[in-house]
Amino acid sequence: MKNKIALILLFAISIPFSRAQWISVNGPSGGYVRNFIFDGTTIYAATGGGVLASNDNGTSWSFRNSGLKSCDTKSLAQIGDYLFVSTDENVFRSVNRGLDWESVGSDLDGKYVKTLVTCNNVLFAGTYSRGIYRSLDSGSTWTAVNNGISGKYIYWLATDGTNIYAGSYLNGLFRSTDMGNSWTSINNGLTESSIASMCYFNQKMYASTLYSGTFVSDDNGNNWSSLGSGIPMVKGFTCLNGNLYAGSFGNGVYKSTDSGQTWSTVNTGLTEKDIWAMGSSDSVIFAGVSSGHVYKSTNGGTNWSLCNSENTFRAGVGSLTS
């Protein structure tokens, strides 16, 4: 019971393979890192201390918080020249790579926005207790779009480029085929209704649950099947060079070279197995663990080493994306 309570609290806040080398990153010091995004040049991190940016694939970081009313940042997204970050009280946007931020309208004032996703230049925001909002004008105005949504605690939003998927806490998965105008419950085959993370990769949607492992769908979420690989709760997915990576809470990092049919652990040298986040740039894979250490791999990810032995990086990494 104690373990379940701990996992619930954690949730609420938040094959062959080639040899590779992992090194620790001199990373952000701003508290929990919940989301990464890569714009082709700069990696941005949404942290408990604000937005951090790195122009050298994670070797060095600087805060970019000017204009933020809350530095408890959650999720990042991008449309054209606009960079967006969600917080516990609104969404903010920047037109100069995060150097200055402005709040995006008043519709989300005071709302805890957990997750952002963009599809066809439309921005979606998943909130705690208020469901899903949509903006058609890069965040200037927002409309609640909850027709068919029974779950108000939206933990994860994802897209396959056409459909929008919403993973909720306690109410399972939902899909919209009309850009948020209506939603349908898509839980056939799922054995649990609390979703921890999602990822679309190689024509398949992956969804990790709080207690029941990870599921996959190859028919746009109509049917789900268990991966059956023993992978526990996945806090984050990422992909690079045709391979899929899953960061598990407890068992470290898994890698699949065949679109999730088979998986191998890639933990050699990894002494911390509670993975909170996975992400990638165009050439580097990132993994963050519960202590706050961040590792990076420049060549695909099998061997790990922690090159920063001092306690200078304690970011409590929560999730990454690209």
Side-chain angles (χ1 to χ4, degrees):
M1 177 61 69
K2 290 182 179 179
N3 290 336
K4 288 189 175 181
I5 292 174
L7 278 173
I8 290 172
L9 290 174
L10 170 66
F11 180 85
I13 56 174
S14 56
I15 337 193
F17 49 83
S18 60
R19 293 184 63 83
Q21 183 64 36
W22 291 86
I23 61 172
S24 142
V25 176
N26 267 338
S29 57
Y32 291 97
V33 178
R34 300 180 176 96
N35 197 232
F36 273 30
I37 194 170
F38 179 64
D39 68 359
T41 302
T42 303
I43 302 166
Y44 302 91
T47 82
V51 177
L52 286 149
S54 174
N55 295 318
D56 53 14
N57 266 323
T59 300
S60 60
W61 302 82
S62 61
F63 279 106
R64 298 187 182 180
N65 289 340
S66 178
L68 289 180
K69 295 179 180 178
S70 171
C71 290
D72 189 8
T73 57
K74 311 295 182 181
S75 183
L76 291 152
Q78 186 176 21
I79 296 177
D81 293 331
Y82 283 120
L83 181 67
F84 300 91
V85 64
S86 70
T87 74
D88 57 348
E89 63 177 44
N90 206 336
V91 174
F92 295 80
R93 69 184 176 191
S94 173
V95 294
N96 59 3
R97 306 174 74 86
L99 296 175
D100 298 286
W101 298 91
E102 63 176 356
S103 58
V104 288
S106 60
D107 303 285
L108 292 178
D109 277 348
K111 295 179 175 63
Y112 187 121
V113 182
K114 176 62 177 69
T115 177
L116 298 172
V117 75
T118 64
C119 182
N120 299 324
N121 292 324
V122 177
L123 182 61
F124 294 85
T127 72
Y128 279 176
S129 79
R130 302 297 181 88
I132 300 172
Y133 286 76
R134 177 184 66 192
S135 177
L136 304 176
D137 52 12
S138 297
S140 295
T141 59
W142 296 84
T143 303
V145 286
N146 293 309
N147 181 24
I149 291 279
S150 59
K152 299 302 182 183
Y153 288 86
I154 307 301
Y155 192 78
W156 203 281
L157 292 174
T159 182
D160 58 15
T162 301
N163 304 305
I164 311 299
Y165 300 83
S168 73
Y169 179 59
L170 298 178
N171 294 98
L173 283 164
F174 300 87
R175 180 188 62 210
S176 176
T177 61
D178 54 11
M179 297 300 289
N181 291 322
S182 61
W183 298 84
T184 302
S185 177
I186 50 167
N187 294 308
N188 186 40
L190 291 180
T191 59
E192 188 187 336
S193 57
S194 289
I195 307 302
S197 63
M198 300 180 70
C199 174
Y200 182 71
F201 174 73
N202 200 15
Q203 310 301 313
K204 296 180 180 181
M205 183 62 72
Y206 298 83
S208 175
T209 62
L210 190 58
Y211 297 121
S212 304
T214 299
F215 294 77
V216 62
S217 173
D218 59 9
D219 58 3
N220 302 317
N222 290 323
N223 298 281
W224 297 88
S225 59
S226 173
L227 286 180
S229 56
I231 300 178
M233 179 177 63
V234 173
K235 293 288 290 181
F237 296 91
T238 195
C239 55
L240 186 67
N241 298 328
N243 299 316
L244 182 62
Y245 300 84
S248 72
F249 191 75
N251 284 7
V253 176
Y254 291 79
K255 176 180 179 179
S256 176
T257 62
D258 54 12
S259 298
Q261 295 182 52
T262 57
W263 296 80
S264 296
T265 53
V266 285
N267 292 331
T268 301
L270 184 65
T271 60
E272 301 171 87
K273 302 294 179 63
D274 290 343
I275 309 299
W276 278 54
M278 298 294 296
S280 59
S281 65
D282 55 1
S283 60
V284 177
I285 303 167
F286 296 89
V289 299
S290 59
S291 71
H293 289 127
V294 169
Y295 299 78
K296 71 175 183 179
S297 172
T298 59
N299 55 0
T302 308
N303 296 325
W304 301 70
S305 63
L306 185 62
C307 62
N308 180 10
S309 59
E310 299 180 1
N311 292 325
T312 56
F313 178 37
R314 291 290 176 183
V317 177
S319 73
L320 301 92
T321 189
S322 60

